[in-house]
Amino acid sequence: VLPYEKWMMGELKSFCIENLNEIKNISYVNAKGIDKLWHEFEKGNKRVSWSRIWHLVTLGNWIKENKIEG
């Protein structure tokens, strides 16, 4: 198993935050909900898994790379 959680809290943290912000720029997305998920993940809440956050991060990266606006 790769240490995604450790990476996301360390060397990938700025990448994660940057791409989560891309999702929050979409008008129909609940930005406060995204923030809450990230903060719960940072606090170590086991109900918010690294994979749940990582899916959002990769979606945000896709939005950025494809210049999607909403």
Side-chain angles (χ1 to χ4, degrees):
V1 176
L2 297 173
Y4 281 99
E5 188 172 348
K6 180 181 174 191
W7 291 341
M8 291 167 68
M9 298 302 283
E11 52 269 352
L12 290 178
K13 187 172 184 174
S14 62
F15 176 80
C16 291
I17 292 170
E18 175 185 335
N19 287 300
L20 290 172
N21 286 336
E22 289 294 328
I23 296 173
K24 291 174 7 184
N25 289 330
I26 303 296
S27 61
Y28 51 84
V29 170
N30 180 348
K32 288 181 183 179
I34 299 288
D35 286 337
K36 183 177 179 181
L37 277 175
W38 177 255
H39 293 302
E40 289 298 315
F41 174 72
E42 279 188 308
K43 289 192 312 189
N45 183 338
K46 295 301 179 193
R47 295 179 71 187
V48 181
S49 70
W50 67 266
S51 62
R52 186 173 183 188
I53 301 294
W54 188 248
H55 286 108
L56 293 170
V57 169
T58 57
L59 175 61
N61 189 59
W62 182 84
I63 289 169
K64 179 175 66 177
E65 294 296 320
N66 290 284
K67 299 173 179 48
I68 305 298
E69 296 181 20

